[in-house]
């Protein structure tokens, strides 16, 4: 199936997914969010894909919700749109898909990531940004609160003070500041962004996919777990990893002093 507003290319085990409405800074319409969810679901089920790299065409990652989308129209009586339906159908579904993804999901943020666009990037497992990237919690500027998981992710990533500063002031945080704050993994030179993120994605695609899935699951569960329950969870997941071909290969490669060749099984 072909998608216009979201592009997909698969090579070397990496599904590169590109948000593709550059003239609108890759702002999301409802159909575009649906396309992205469908693409992610098919990448999740495709055994050839062992890592997803999400990025944006042109000078933005995404400016969030397309404010001119028909779903955002006010009624003739002046009544506001049913934003809850858009949040549920587009952003909650997207963030749940990304966070429930078994394989690593990288975001390469070049330029602006605003509103739900910023929070979609921050929901990914590893975020690499160009030096001139701008993370903007644009919501308060239009009378809304951060959505797409922003109120969950921000305080966990950067603490309450910075989360509230970003949410209430809506100021841009650039790539270097984002790295210094721990909002993202790494900031790189703008012209190296896609090369560096691509290399990282290929290396993850050649890694122990099932161990990555287990690490993601355990780290995500930790927020709601006691240490005791977390230790039990780690034990169960580690037990399962101990039975994988990749564990056998990892230990063999170490013993034989050679690079491992993981199959993702
Ligand atoms: C846009 C957009 C955009 C349409 C730039 N829509 N066209 C969930 C559910 C339901 C409701 C509401 O929200 C949500 C979640 C959200 O995401 S709320 C937050 C929505 N996003 C925003 O409020 C950001 C709005 N955009 C901006 O503040 C600026 O465009 C930023 C700071 C992103 C970039 O500024 P500049 O670099 O100066 O670019 P620009 O403003 O000149 O934009 C370029 C073009 O892109 C322009 O179109 P034009 O035809 O004039 O060239 C903009 O209108 C268009 N565009 N964002 N969200």
């Amino acid at each position: 199936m072909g998608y216009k507003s979201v592009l997909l290319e698969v090579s070397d085990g990496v599904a590169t997914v590109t948000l593709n409405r550059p003239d609108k800074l890759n702002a999301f319409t409802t159909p575009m969010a649906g396309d992205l969810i469908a693409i992610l679901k098919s990448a999740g089920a495709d055994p050839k894909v062992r890592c997803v790299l999400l990025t944006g065409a042109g000078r933005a990652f995404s400016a969030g919700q397309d404010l001119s989308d028909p779903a955002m129209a006010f009624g003739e009586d002046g009544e506001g749109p049913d934003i809850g339906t858009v949040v549920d159908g587009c952003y909650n579904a997207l963030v749940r898909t990304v966070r429930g993804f078994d394989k690593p999901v990288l975001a390469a943020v070049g330029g602006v990531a605003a509103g739900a666009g910023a929070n979609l990037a921050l929901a990914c497992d590893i975020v690499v940004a160009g030096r001139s990237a701008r993370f903007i919690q644009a919501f308060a500027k239009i009378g809304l609160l951060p959505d797409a998981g922003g109120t969950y992710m921000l305080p966990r990533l950067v603490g309450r003070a910075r989360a509230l500063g970003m949410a209430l002031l809506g100021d841009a945080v650039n790539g270097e500041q984002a790295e210094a704050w721990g909002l993202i993994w790494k900031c790189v030179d703008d012209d190296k962004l896609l090369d560096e993120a691509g290399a990282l994605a290929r290396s993850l695609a050649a890694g122990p996919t099932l161990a990555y899935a287990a690490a993601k699951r355990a780290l995500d569960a930790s927020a709601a777990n006691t240490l005791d329950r977390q230790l039990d969870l780690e034990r169960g997941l580690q037990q399962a990893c101990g039975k994988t071909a990749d564990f056998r290969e990892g230990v063999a490669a170490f013993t034989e002093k050679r690079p491992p060749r993981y199959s993702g099984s």
Side-chain angles (χ1 to χ4, degrees):
M1 197 192 308
Y3 300 96
K4 220 170 58 193
S5 55
V6 186
L7 307 177
L8 170 68
E9 193 199 309
V10 179
S11 75
D12 297 330
V14 178
T16 301
V17 179
T18 305
L19 307 176
N20 189 39
R21 296 183 73 223
D23 54 325
K24 294 291 174 195
L25 303 185
N26 304 318
F28 276 97
T29 59
T30 301
M32 176 177 168
D35 287 354
L36 179 56
I37 291 167
I39 283 176
L40 289 174
K41 292 214 155 128
S42 80
D46 184 346
K48 289 193 301 300
V49 172
R50 288 169 61 191
C51 178
V52 167
L53 174 58
L54 181 60
T55 192
R59 68 177 182 90
F61 178 80
S62 167
Q65 171 67 33
D66 187 322
L67 298 174
S68 61
D69 191 53
M72 299 299 298
F74 283 72
E76 274 171 20
D77 55 1
E79 200 184 8
D82 181 359
I83 289 184
T85 302
V86 181
V87 167
D88 223 16
C90 296
Y91 303 106
N92 289 358
L94 258 177
V95 170
R96 285 186 174 118
T97 304
V98 167
R99 292 301 275 229
F101 215 73
D102 277 344
K103 308 162 190 180
V105 185
L106 263 79
V109 178
V112 73
N119 292 338
L120 173 64
L122 298 179
C124 295
D125 301 320
I126 294 187
V127 186
V128 183
R131 231 161 270 290
S132 67
R134 290 179 287 159
F135 293 87
I136 308 175
Q137 295 294 318
F139 305 90
K141 307 233 183 221
I142 55 168
L144 297 177
L145 79 156
D147 61 19
T151 61
Y152 182 92
M153 251 92 68
L154 288 173
R156 284 169 170 79
L157 289 168
V158 297
R160 185 173 190 271
R162 284 170 172 157
L164 273 169
M166 289 182 78
L168 304 191
L169 304 175
D171 289 349
V173 172
N174 68 30
E176 278 177 36
Q177 197 165 23
E179 181 188 312
W181 282 8
L183 186 68
I184 63 166
W185 170 243
K186 197 173 176 189
C187 164
V188 299
D189 288 339
D190 290 319
D191 58 353
K192 301 218 167 64
L193 175 64
L194 288 182
D195 284 349
E196 295 223 13
L200 211 50
R202 283 191 298 280
S203 121
L204 286 165
T209 311
L210 298 176
Y212 292 154
K216 284 173 55 156
R217 208 179 128 200
L219 284 165
D220 284 345
S222 73
N225 260 351
T226 58
L227 173 61
D228 226 37
R229 284 175 52 183
Q230 192 68 16
L231 289 172
D232 287 343
L233 177 66
E234 285 177 3
R235 183 212 45 222
L237 291 168
Q238 202 69 301
Q239 205 161 30
C241 283
K243 307 283 182 205
T244 61
D246 282 346
F247 174 60
R248 179 185 289 264
E249 166 62 8
V251 174
F254 175 78
T255 310
E256 294 159 21
K257 299 190 186 306
R258 61 168 175 81
R261 292 180 296 270
Y262 292 119
S263 60
S265 57

